[in-house]
Each structure stands twice: as structure tokens, then as C-alpha cells.
Amino acid sequence: MLWPNRDMLFKPRYGRIGFLALPYLWLFELLAPLIEIGGIVTIVLAACFGALSREFFLQFMLFGYAFATVISIGAVLQEEITYKRYNDWQDVARLLTYCFLEHFPYRQLHMIWRLQGLWQYLRGDNTWRPLTRKGLSSASVP
């Protein structure tokens, strides 16, 4: 929906949507998978050519993973303290456990899905297709 609404960008008539929301979506949501794949390729090339210290790489990855996980845990706890939406502490514990899985492998899968969607759009494949359901089919009762 970004391309059909591109005329809203930086127009005073559209207020915060045109000056904040749409530029954010263009920069961080549309281009993020391209920037991320570029970063992965750069890291792999640097490792192949010996320009990347193994110790620094491991420390950087551990720090990045730990920092992102702490941010996610903080968001879950802040939401729970503020709104108290969960009746059982086990639900909150499950959400906190998912914080550790969010950055690997889900983030990489999400990047691949976004790249596939972008590629389909650039090829002109803009049609919605019916999804066939898999799993959990209801058994007919005789």
C-alpha cells in the first residue's frame, strides 16, 4: 500500500501520517530486508577475506542478541505491568520464553518472507490467492 499512497509523503495536508508514519514505513519496513541482507552478505564476505576478527564477531553477535532480547523482555513486562491482560503467570512466562526465540530463527525467516513479498511485487504478482488450510482438519461426526 506504500506505492499507491506515495503522494501523501511529506505533504502538510496529511499531518503526522505524511511526515512521520509513511516515511518510517518506507525506510524501515520496505527497505529493512534489503539492508539486512546487505549486512549479512557484508559480514560473510568480511569473514571470507579475513577482514573480520572471529572474537569481535562473536562478542558483537552475543551483545546484539542479548540487547535485543532484553528489549523484548522489557516490552513484555511493561505491557503486563501496565495492562495485566494475562490471568495466569504461565502465559507471561511463555511470552518471555518466546523473547529468546524472536531474534533467531524467526527474524531470519521473517526477512526471507518479506524479500519474497517484495520480489513478487516487483515482478507484478499483486493478486491475492486463496490459501489452502493445512493441519487441524475437523473430523465429521457420523
Side-chain angles (χ1 to χ4, degrees):
M1 292 312 306
L2 292 176
W3 189 252
N5 295 304
R6 66 189 179 276
D7 58 333
M8 291 175 64
L9 278 171
F10 303 112
K11 300 277 176 73
R13 174 180 175 188
Y14 299 106
R16 287 178 278 191
I17 298 291
F19 279 97
L20 294 174
L22 283 176
Y24 168 84
L25 291 171
W26 275 92
L27 184 62
F28 294 107
E29 296 298 328
L30 179 68
L31 299 178
L34 298 174
I35 294 168
E36 194 170 340
I37 197 73
I40 291 171
V41 167
T42 302
I43 288 172
V44 168
L45 288 175
C48 289
F49 292 122
L52 183 64
S53 164
R54 180 173 286 159
E55 292 173 16
F56 175 76
F57 173 71
L58 289 175
Q59 290 173 355
F60 184 76
M61 294 302 289
L62 284 172
F63 175 78
Y65 174 78
F67 184 73
T69 302
V70 166
I71 294 287
S72 295
I73 290 171
V76 168
L77 291 176
Q78 181 181 10
E79 190 268 341
E80 177 57 23
I81 290 168
T82 304
Y83 299 110
K84 297 180 181 18
R85 294 184 188 199
Y86 303 101
N87 297 326
D88 191 5
W89 67 268
Q90 291 175 337
D91 293 334
V92 177
R94 187 178 309 120
L95 273 177
L96 292 173
T97 303
Y98 292 151
C99 290
F100 291 94
L101 301 174
E102 177 183 8
H103 307 291
F104 185 81
Y106 178 75
R107 182 170 181 78
Q108 290 74 25
L109 285 171
H110 192 248
M111 179 193 60
I112 290 169
W113 296 329
R114 290 169 69 185
L115 287 170
Q116 286 174 341
L118 187 58
W119 178 248
Q120 287 175 350
Y121 179 79
L122 293 174
R123 283 191 347 223
D125 185 6
N126 301 341
T127 59
W128 288 91
R129 290 180 210 77
L131 294 174
T132 56
R133 297 200 178 263
K134 298 176 184 175
L136 295 182
S137 61
S138 61
S140 60
V141 178

